[in-house]
Amino acid sequence: LAVEHHEVADARARLVLVHGYAEHRGRYRHLVEQLTAHGIECHLFDLRGHGQSDGIRGHVDRFGDYLDDLQRVIDTLPKDDGLPTFLLAHSLGSLIALCYVRRNPAIFDAVAVSSPYLGPAFPISPARLMLARVLSTITPALRLESGLRPEWVSRDPDVVAAYRDDPHVFRTATPRWFMEVSAAQRDLIEHAHEIRTPALFLVAGSDRIADHRIALELFPRLGTPASEKELREYPDLYHEIFNEIPPARAEVIRDLLSWLERRSAG
């Protein structure tokens, strides 16, 4: 795994960031700069099969591999130094993060997820679903077109152009990846009440990649006490809320920083 650590003198908190599908940690540099400027040390990594990490692009043999890799990164962090520790994730990373805190409730003081990928916002035909099931057992690592379009990520044309031209961004998915992620989504939705970690949901209301309605339905079903969970919905924003047009991006980051400061103080 490719990992990087951004330490801060006299840090007020520690944060682990998990990126989304088909992208990489490098696309969060501007967010990390703002977090560290506010005294929050950041730890990032590329998921297996992404960015500079090893692995077949966009493939896992089992969804648990992602959870194991997150644990490997967590194991590199200092222990028992008193810093509040947060988990921040986007899209597929949000699914990974929520599954992780469900199974490991005592590791993080709170979790923040943006545009959680709990189901696709774009249609997938029954024939394609059946093909994925068959190929998952025959050729599980076969790379097929994912159907994701660059213009779905943001309303900012510069972000879309950078995404389209990024050599570490890919537009394929494998049958096994699809089946494993789909199973993880169903399992999380069924057991959402088992999540008790304080949580922030940042939801893009015009998301064309992740179905935001599932996130809105799942949020009140979290086992987290009502006073310990917060939902922010941005009706006009596309999938990558941290890479939206500058005014909207600034609003989202302000909301995140405000929440982190309150949780750190608490």
Side-chain angles (χ1 to χ4, degrees):
L1 298 179
V3 183
E4 62 182 65
H5 306 281
H6 298 261
E7 297 182 353
V8 177
D10 300 319
R12 69 169 69 181
R14 175 177 295 118
L15 181 145
V16 177
L17 192 153
V18 189
H19 66 77
Y21 182 73
E23 56 157 356
H24 56 93
R25 72 191 194 282
R27 302 187 68 244
Y28 293 82
R29 287 196 180 94
H30 68 283
L31 177 59
V32 169
E33 289 173 358
Q34 298 204 45
L35 290 169
T36 54
H38 283 77
I40 301 170
E41 70 173 47
C42 296
H43 306 270
L44 300 81
F45 70 106
D46 288 336
L47 293 167
R48 65 172 62 199
H50 291 74
Q52 296 176 319
S53 290
D54 292 341
I56 300 169
R57 299 298 90 176
H59 177 71
V60 284
D61 292 318
R62 61 183 189 92
F63 187 81
D65 290 343
Y66 286 141
L67 304 182
D68 293 344
D69 290 345
L70 174 55
Q71 186 63 58
R72 290 169 59 195
V73 175
I74 294 168
D75 289 342
T76 69
L77 305 182
K79 303 292 190 297
D80 303 322
D81 61 359
L83 276 187
T85 304
F86 302 115
L87 182 57
L88 171 64
H90 172 71
S91 193
L92 172 66
S94 296
L95 175 63
I96 296 167
L98 292 170
C99 289
Y100 183 87
V101 297
R102 176 193 159 208
R103 291 167 172 79
N104 303 276
I107 302 299
F108 290 98
D109 293 287
V111 58
V113 296
S114 74
S115 304
Y117 184 62
L118 307 177
F122 53 95
I124 300 176
S125 69
R128 192 172 179 86
L129 290 173
M130 183 175 295
L131 181 63
R133 292 190 187 98
V134 173
L135 294 179
S136 179
T137 60
I138 300 174
T139 54
L142 179 66
R143 297 180 66 187
L144 304 170
E145 287 294 324
S146 65
L148 299 180
R149 297 169 60 178
E151 60 268 26
W152 290 354
V153 302
S154 173
R155 296 175 299 169
D156 188 328
D158 292 335
V159 169
V160 173
Y163 182 91
R164 182 182 291 115
D165 297 338
D166 192 326
H168 290 303
V169 169
F170 54 90
R171 296 173 184 83
T172 59
T174 70
R176 178 64 57 79
W177 178 90
F178 177 81
M179 298 306 297
E180 288 293 307
V181 168
S182 297
Q185 291 168 337
R186 292 192 299 269
D187 186 61
L188 179 68
I189 292 168
E190 181 179 354
H191 297 280
H193 62 280
E194 297 177 5
I195 296 176
R196 302 189 181 279
T197 304
L200 171 67
F201 272 42
L202 303 170
V203 179
S206 296
D207 200 330
R208 301 172 69 181
I209 295 175
D211 190 339
H212 75 284
R213 296 169 299 181
I214 303 177
L216 297 179
E217 293 168 1
L218 182 137
F219 178 78
R221 295 177 45 234
L222 296 178
T224 307
S227 61
E228 297 288 298
K229 59 185 178 183
E230 185 174 333
L231 170 69
R232 293 293 182 95
E233 183 180 3
Y234 308 92
D236 299 327
L237 271 58
Y238 284 11
H239 185 64
E240 293 195 355
I241 59 176
F242 295 122
N243 288 323
E244 259 287 2
I245 56 177
R249 178 191 316 167
E251 178 187 4
V252 174
I253 294 176
R254 280 197 304 270
D255 289 344
L256 172 64
L257 287 170
S258 175
W259 179 81
L260 286 170
E261 289 173 0
R262 294 196 306 273
R263 298 305 313 181
S264 299

